[in-house]
Amino acid sequence: MSMVTIVDYGVGNLFNIQKAFKSIGAGSTISNDPEEIAGSSKLVLPGVGSFEAGMTALKESGTDEVVKDFAASGRPLMGICLGMQLMLSTSEENGKWAGLDLIEGKVVRFTESKDTQENYKIPQIGWNSISKPTGMEIDWNNTVLKSLDPTDTSYLYFIHSYYVAPADEQSVIAETTYGQDTFCSVVMKDNLVGCQFHPERSGKVGLQILEAFIGA
Amino acid sequence: MSHSIRIIARLDIKGPNLVKGLQLEGNRVLGTAQQYSEIYYHEGADELIYQDVVASLYGRSSLKEIVQKTSETTAIPLTVAGGIRTIEDVTDLLRAGADKVAINTAAVSNPRILTEAARVFGSQCIVASIETYRQKDGGYEVWTDYGREVSDLETIEWGKRVEELGAGEILLTSINNEGMGNGFDLELVEAVSSSVSIPVISCGGAGKLEHFKEVVTKGKADAVAAASIFHYHYCQPVNQPNMSYSSPDLRMGAHIDSGNIEFLNEGYGGTADLMVDSCSIGSVKEYLNENGVETRII
């Protein structure tokens, strides 16, 4: 049995996640087999592209229910980028779409830069820093962010037009500011964690986050 | 500014070799792309661009193998360009480890490829590569095939169009300025960047530190790609056989038997021939941070 299974539901670049795990000495399997997913000890839900396409692909491949069952089992599940967004209840991307509803909340679009002084583009493509949400008492030591120094600036690689807005503010363990929005860049609820950035493409800092997930 | 500006190392590639020319011509072999990509990753490059320089000419991309290797040895985004014509080409490169693909020639001849690819892989994966040549009258023509063919498209209009078609980003290369080290075409970059709402990577012209700053502050570039200024920091031509390498293991000429390796073996011209004040990626980033442009320091 592989330690980590990366859910293959037909979208996104899963190979770089597998290569990143390999580079930190962790074996992983890319799979769409319900039994294999259900039997793994840790699960990664990757994904790029649109919410609608991602959700449709999850349903069509029959992996949506398997992922939900896995989440309910209490074993560690990490959503990355679109994979994180799919964990929420709904998305406003191109209409209104239902997600996996593992974490209550919605997925919303960045505020446009029109009529503002600041020049920024959508999608956000590039490196941005994450920090503890202001006014919140959160200890990163018990999270996948444990190797990061909260007093230092850590940059991670983002590529997205939408972000998650969890209903429970306590589940936001890191936030990031882009343009006019300060958004949830890492969400955590019990055994579930979601990263808006790509840890597999965020240099050493990103690999440390994956290491912490493996060790969780 | 709440986000950092990306500093990207662009590697023009022929076979396994890193090559560099002037205005997309006269490419000379400098070493192997693999080795340089690892240097750039460890020195804090925010992204890598691999441009296959002969792919469109031969109608195929040969980068799959090297993309695969690179994605195992680096953990930063990799954009691959050159010879991408079909959805299958995109699939192959993404499977090999590319994070994004940049399309120029195929998009000019069949703009629907951008829409189709964005639908299948998401806009964030699809970069429109625009190579442009500035006319004497100040107009900008779109060129294809790595600066070999002229099209009838106008650059600013084409920039707007590729966004509508579904591209998530634009890689904008000034052919006139490419390799020359005399600065970016600020007017061009500003014109394209202001007329689209997707990020624009400015490429072509970096010759000294100040150029990076002005293309961000005046040109409104969202990311800056450079080649010569970084490459020649590690291999300097000297007036004698063999170039001067910053480290002996970078001396790869012995392994390289294809392409124009004269430069590699003879070092002709000497450093006086260099058109850039070569420097490391780290020093560019430090300079920018000191001058009010946020970059990621590792």
Side-chain angles (χ1 to χ4, degrees):
Chain A
M1 184 182 81
S2 169
M3 206 167 106
V4 184
T5 301
I6 302 160
V7 184
D8 178 7
Y9 56 101
V11 296
N13 187 343
L14 321 166
F15 305 95
N16 286 337
I17 298 177
Q18 188 171 42
K19 283 171 181 165
F21 277 124
K22 190 180 163 196
S23 77
I24 56 170
S28 61
T29 308
I30 294 173
S31 176
N32 61 0
D33 174 34
E35 266 181 47
E36 192 160 19
I37 293 170
S40 59
S41 54
K42 292 187 172 66
L43 200 64
V44 172
L45 184 63
V48 295
S50 78
F51 191 95
E52 177 195 356
M55 208 52 216
T56 305
L58 266 180
K59 283 186 180 154
E60 281 176 0
S61 62
T63 41
D64 57 334
E65 290 304 323
V66 188
V67 172
K68 279 188 193 177
D69 290 345
F70 186 93
S73 77
R75 281 167 287 167
L77 166 62
M78 176 186 268
I80 296 175
C81 196
L82 177 67
M84 171 209 213
Q85 298 179 1
L86 292 172
M87 292 160 81
L88 278 282
S89 317
T90 57
S91 170
E92 294 176 356
E93 184 174 347
N94 303 323
K96 192 167 180 182
W97 300 92
L100 293 170
D101 199 20
L102 303 173
I103 294 172
E104 195 191 334
K106 57 186 182 175
V107 181
V108 298
R109 188 173 164 88
F110 278 126
T111 308
E112 301 286 338
S113 74
K114 270 179 254 161
D115 311 320
T116 66
Q117 292 300 310
E118 200 189 353
N119 169 45
Y120 64 93
K121 302 292 182 63
I122 300 173
Q124 164 172 223
I125 302 182
W127 298 72
N128 205 333
S129 54
I130 67 170
S131 55
K132 286 190 181 180
T134 39
M136 303 276 280
E137 286 296 323
I138 290 165
D139 185 1
W140 278 1
N141 276 325
N142 304 316
T143 73
V144 292
L145 305 177
K146 65 183 177 189
S147 63
L148 277 66
D149 180 356
T151 61
D152 205 15
T153 309
S154 294
Y155 286 98
L156 296 140
Y157 181 70
F158 290 81
I159 178 162
H160 62 127
S161 302
Y162 292 76
Y163 61 85
V164 303
D168 178 9
E169 284 182 6
Q170 298 294 328
S171 66
V172 180
I173 64 164
E175 62 182 22
T176 296
T177 300
Y178 184 71
Q180 298 167 70
D181 303 299
T182 295
F183 64 93
C184 168
S185 41
V186 183
V187 65
M188 190 175 93
K189 183 195 164 200
D190 306 323
N191 57 319
L192 310 175
V193 63
C195 304
Q196 183 57 66
F197 50 82
H198 285 269
E200 78 280 12
R201 280 314 201 195
S202 293
K204 291 191 182 77
V205 179
L207 296 179
Q208 284 167 352
I209 290 171
L210 293 179
E211 263 176 338
F213 177 68
I214 293 296
Chain B
M1 192 80 69
S2 60
H3 58 286
S4 66
I5 293 292
R6 279 173 288 158
I7 304 300
I8 301 172
R10 167 171 165 157
L11 290 83
D12 288 38
I13 299 174
K14 188 174 181 182
N17 298 344
L18 169 67
V19 299
K20 194 66 200 92
L22 299 177
Q23 300 184 324
L24 304 183
E25 284 188 323
N27 280 315
R28 300 151 155 179
V29 174
L30 298 182
T32 62
Q34 181 58 35
Q35 200 142 4
Y36 279 79
S37 69
E38 287 175 36
I39 292 174
Y40 294 144
Y41 167 55
H42 291 293
E43 293 209 336
D46 294 317
E47 190 168 325
L48 300 169
I49 294 174
Y50 277 5
Q51 168 79 51
D52 188 331
V53 306
V54 289
S56 282
L57 186 66
Y58 298 151
R60 55 115 183 86
S61 170
S62 59
L63 288 184
K64 226 157 56 177
E65 207 174 310
I66 170 169
V67 165
Q68 199 150 8
K69 186 82 202 299
T70 304
S71 75
E72 281 166 11
T73 52
T74 66
I76 50 172
L78 171 62
T79 299
V80 179
I84 297 157
R85 283 159 194 276
T86 63
I87 294 298
E88 290 69 42
D89 292 340
V90 181
T91 306
D92 281 355
L93 286 166
L94 294 181
R95 287 198 167 244
D99 295 278
K100 299 183 270 186
V101 294
I103 307 177
N104 173 21
T105 307
V108 169
S109 58
N110 170 27
R112 279 182 34 228
I113 178 80
L114 293 176
T115 312
E116 179 73 357
R119 190 184 62 75
V120 176
F121 306 102
S123 282
Q124 80 293 327
C125 239
I126 308 303
V127 181
S129 166
I130 303 179
E131 289 165 359
T132 183
Y133 193 82
R134 185 183 184 128
Q135 297 293 102
K136 284 207 175 73
D137 66 5
Y140 289 100
E141 292 171 342
V142 173
W143 285 51
T144 62
D145 295 271
Y146 196 74
R148 292 183 195 93
E149 304 289 336
V150 62
S151 78
D152 53 12
L153 296 169
E154 191 281 322
T155 301
I156 317 297
E157 286 310 308
W158 179 235
K160 293 180 194 166
R161 181 96 177 93
V162 297
E163 178 179 4
E164 289 165 12
L165 286 164
E169 192 171 19
I170 292 172
L171 167 61
L172 180 65
T173 305
S174 159
I175 299 172
N176 311 62
N177 294 32
E178 203 279 328
M180 305 301 280
N182 50 12
F184 294 90
D185 185 337
L186 301 179
E187 208 177 310
L188 163 74
V189 182
E190 202 276 331
V192 175
S193 190
S194 321
S195 49
V196 297
S197 64
I198 52 177
V200 172
I201 303 169
S202 174
C203 184
K208 44 167 87 105
L209 293 172
E210 299 87 77
H211 296 155
F212 287 88
K213 186 191 169 193
E214 62 187 21
V215 75
V216 175
T217 55
K218 296 183 184 149
K220 298 203 171 76
D222 301 283
V224 189
S228 307
I229 193 167
F230 299 142
H231 303 339
Y232 293 128
H233 183 62
Y234 303 97
C235 58
Q236 297 228 322
V238 289
N239 282 317
Q240 59 190 34
N242 294 337
M243 289 209 289
S244 160
Y245 284 91
S246 61
S247 147
D249 63 340
L250 273 180
R251 171 70 184 110
M252 291 163 290
H255 315 298
I256 293 170
D257 58 1
S258 65
N260 180 358
I261 58 170
E262 287 303 303
F263 192 52
L264 195 67
N265 288 329
E266 305 301 330
Y268 58 79
T271 47
D273 210 29
L274 278 193
M275 310 179 76
V276 293
D277 294 342
S278 60
C279 61
S280 69
I281 288 183
S283 59
V284 168
K285 292 181 144 193
E286 268 168 40
Y287 169 83
L288 288 174
N289 281 348
E290 283 162 11
N291 286 278
V293 176
E294 184 185 344
T295 64
R296 174 185 73 118
I297 301 282
I298 59 164

